[in-house]
Amino acid sequence: MTASSRTVGPQPKTIAFVLYPGITLLDLAGPLQVLSALAHAVPGFAIAVVAERLAPLPTDTPLTIAADRTFDDLPEPFAVVVPGGGAPTLRAMGDRTLLGYLRRAAAGAEIVASVCTGALLLGAAGLLEGRRATTHWTYRHLLPVFGAAPATARWVEDGPVLTSAGVSAGIDMALHLAGRLAGETTARTLQYALEYDPAPPQGALDWARAPADLFAPVVDRLVRDAWPDGAAGKPADR
Amino acid sequence: MTASSRTVGPQPKTIAFVLYPGITLLDLAGPLQVLSALAHAVPGFAIAVVAERLAPLPTDTPLTIAADRTFDDLPEPFAVVVPGGGAPTLRAMGDRTLLGYLRRAAAGAEIVASVCTGALLLGAAGLLEGRRATTHWTYRHLLPVFGAAPATARWVEDGPVLTSAGVSAGIDMALHLAGRLAGETTARTLQYALEYDPAPPQGALDWARAPADLFAPVVDRLVRDAWPDGAAGKPADR
């Protein structure tokens, strides 16, 4: 029995988190935790984790993860959220099945969201054209390749497109989305439930001193490896 | 070939994240992301995710997860980190295999850490006796049952025992640990890599207004369900 064939009553609004091999675990886990708590607390929302197949997938940690639905099971989610990663995410920009799902899901979705370099996948799927967007700070310069206007912000909302900065920013983006979907009081309760009262032991980041020189060569190498032929319109040509 | 039988040269210091069914995903994913990044950046550290078996396990989200090592594969980690959760964590306090692993691993480990209600598992394993410790704010009153002195802090270090507050606090605890293991400059670089510059959209939590009345009945019910007979020394007797 599929959810769509026998469910009685109104369909829940399903927020679909999209998996592919090698994602950065926290890109997924932050918003998935926040929005799973939302779906638990508020009637009318459901959460799914979707992938091409249900087989276990690697992450950028030793943990392997698996979806509970396939792309075919959930063609029309209410919202779609795609996490990012390093080299595997750049490789996934050539995954036609994945990009096809993002395009089809986005066509009917009210919210099309990304965390970190997940924005590059939205871009590769043609979903950032003419939008303001953000991504991990070390990849932000690549956004114009996809017709997007890069923004320096924890998250950016432009029409249905909601993009967050790197990794941990997905938590902030998801709490913002929870407030939008269920009200600020509910979002605040979720924040208490997740005890999200951050106290970074090394203090706030100082962007004037960000170690760009340390990260830039790594990003440049990853991008070159992903597009060795420097095809027109690809990030290697920026 | 096991890691211990053929590896040449010094053994890496392995940080073992302990799985059991039904954990809160972010309790695991926060510190696992931070410390995987540490192991990637700094020679001499390795990360493992351990469980009784390698079969996929549920989380408190639709995602299923799997370890890469069994308890038997890794009897003597350098550090052990146990995540928390809701009802499944309370049930896991009766899991003799899990508690046995925590005890054996802790005996030789330099660091014995928990996130959120993972502290209750350390407590049930007898590892919090006489220690200052913390846990999710809604469960903090249970710590004395295990001989621990409850502390209100984002994380608490007492000898080898390192405990964090709820869910997202594991990120802060892990960055603290990264600083201790590899120096503050490295921890700072990891913080940039994870773009951990939190901006909670609903602002900082106001603990004077924490919705304790909303959470307390839920916690009380979960504890009663986990120890229906109110056996001596169990949380139901607090």
Side-chain angles (χ1 to χ4, degrees):
Chain A
M1 185 181 99
T2 65
S4 60
S5 63
R6 305 259 184 100
T7 306
V8 175
Q11 290 290 315
K13 294 178 174 179
T14 300
I15 301 170
F17 288 84
V18 179
L19 299 193
Y20 54 92
I23 65 159
T24 290
L25 177 64
L26 186 54
D27 286 20
L28 170 74
L32 177 56
Q33 194 72 59
V34 171
L35 297 172
S36 292
L38 173 78
H40 187 70
V42 180
F45 291 98
I47 305 295
V49 182
V50 299
E52 185 179 354
R53 284 180 287 267
L54 300 185
L57 295 170
T59 67
D60 69 345
T61 77
L63 192 76
T64 54
I65 60 177
D68 69 327
R69 313 275 283 273
T70 66
F71 294 157
D72 290 339
D73 288 337
L74 194 66
E76 296 186 327
F78 165 76
V80 60
V81 185
V82 63
T89 300
L90 294 168
R91 281 196 295 272
M93 292 173 65
D95 180 339
R96 285 164 186 259
T97 304
L98 174 66
L99 299 188
Y101 180 72
L102 291 177
R103 266 184 222 109
R104 283 195 308 280
E110 280 191 34
I111 295 150
V112 179
S114 63
V115 180
C116 194
T117 54
L120 304 181
L121 295 174
L122 295 186
L127 298 167
L128 293 187
E129 192 70 44
R131 301 284 184 190
R132 287 179 66 246
T134 196
T135 184
H136 193 281
W137 64 279
T138 59
Y139 289 83
R140 211 187 288 135
H141 60 286
L142 297 175
L143 290 173
V145 171
F146 308 109
T152 300
R154 198 71 179 152
W155 70 86
V156 175
E157 210 160 28
D158 186 349
V161 176
L162 178 60
T163 52
S164 90
V167 197
S168 62
I171 299 173
D172 294 327
M173 181 184 80
L175 282 167
H176 161 75
L177 182 56
R180 183 176 137 190
L181 296 176
E184 295 302 317
T185 302
T186 296
R188 190 77 170 157
T189 301
L190 301 180
Q191 190 183 350
Y192 279 106
L194 304 182
E195 207 162 342
Y196 186 52
D197 198 26
Q202 286 83 24
L205 289 177
D206 177 357
W207 289 105
R209 295 177 180 220
D213 293 351
L214 193 65
F215 287 96
V218 178
V219 169
D220 286 349
R221 181 173 52 74
L222 291 178
V223 170
R224 274 198 310 274
D225 288 352
W227 296 281
D229 56 354
K234 293 296 192 298
D237 290 324
R238 74 186 183 283
Chain B
M1 182 181 100
T2 65
S4 59
S5 63
R6 306 259 185 99
T7 306
V8 174
Q11 290 290 315
K13 294 178 175 179
T14 301
I15 301 170
F17 288 84
V18 178
L19 299 193
Y20 54 92
I23 65 160
T24 290
L25 177 64
L26 186 54
D27 285 21
L28 170 74
L32 178 56
Q33 194 73 58
V34 171
L35 296 171
S36 292
L38 173 79
H40 187 72
V42 180
F45 291 97
I47 306 294
V49 181
V50 298
E52 186 179 353
R53 286 181 284 269
L54 300 184
L57 295 170
T59 67
D60 70 343
T61 76
L63 192 77
T64 54
I65 59 178
D68 70 326
R69 312 275 283 275
T70 66
F71 292 157
D72 290 340
D73 288 339
L74 194 65
E76 295 185 330
F78 165 75
V80 60
V81 185
V82 62
T89 300
L90 294 169
R91 279 196 296 272
M93 292 172 67
D95 180 339
R96 284 162 185 260
T97 305
L98 174 66
L99 299 188
Y101 179 72
L102 290 177
R103 267 185 221 109
R104 283 195 308 280
E110 280 192 34
I111 294 149
V112 179
S114 63
V115 180
C116 194
T117 55
L120 305 182
L121 296 174
L122 295 186
L127 299 167
L128 293 187
E129 192 68 45
R131 300 285 184 191
R132 286 179 68 247
T134 198
T135 184
H136 193 282
W137 64 281
T138 60
Y139 288 82
R140 210 186 289 134
H141 61 286
L142 297 176
L143 290 173
V145 171
F146 308 109
T152 300
R154 198 72 179 152
W155 71 86
V156 175
E157 211 161 27
D158 185 349
V161 177
L162 177 60
T163 52
S164 90
V167 196
S168 61
I171 299 172
D172 294 327
M173 181 185 80
L175 281 166
H176 161 75
L177 183 56
R180 183 175 137 190
L181 295 176
E184 295 302 317
T185 303
T186 295
R188 189 80 170 157
T189 302
L190 301 181
Q191 189 182 351
Y192 279 107
L194 304 182
E195 207 163 340
Y196 187 52
D197 199 25
Q202 286 83 22
L205 289 177
D206 177 357
W207 290 106
R209 294 178 181 220
D213 294 350
L214 192 66
F215 287 95
V218 178
V219 170
D220 286 348
R221 181 174 52 76
L222 291 178
V223 171
R224 275 198 310 274
D225 289 352
W227 296 283
D229 56 354
K234 293 296 193 299
D237 290 324
R238 74 186 182 283

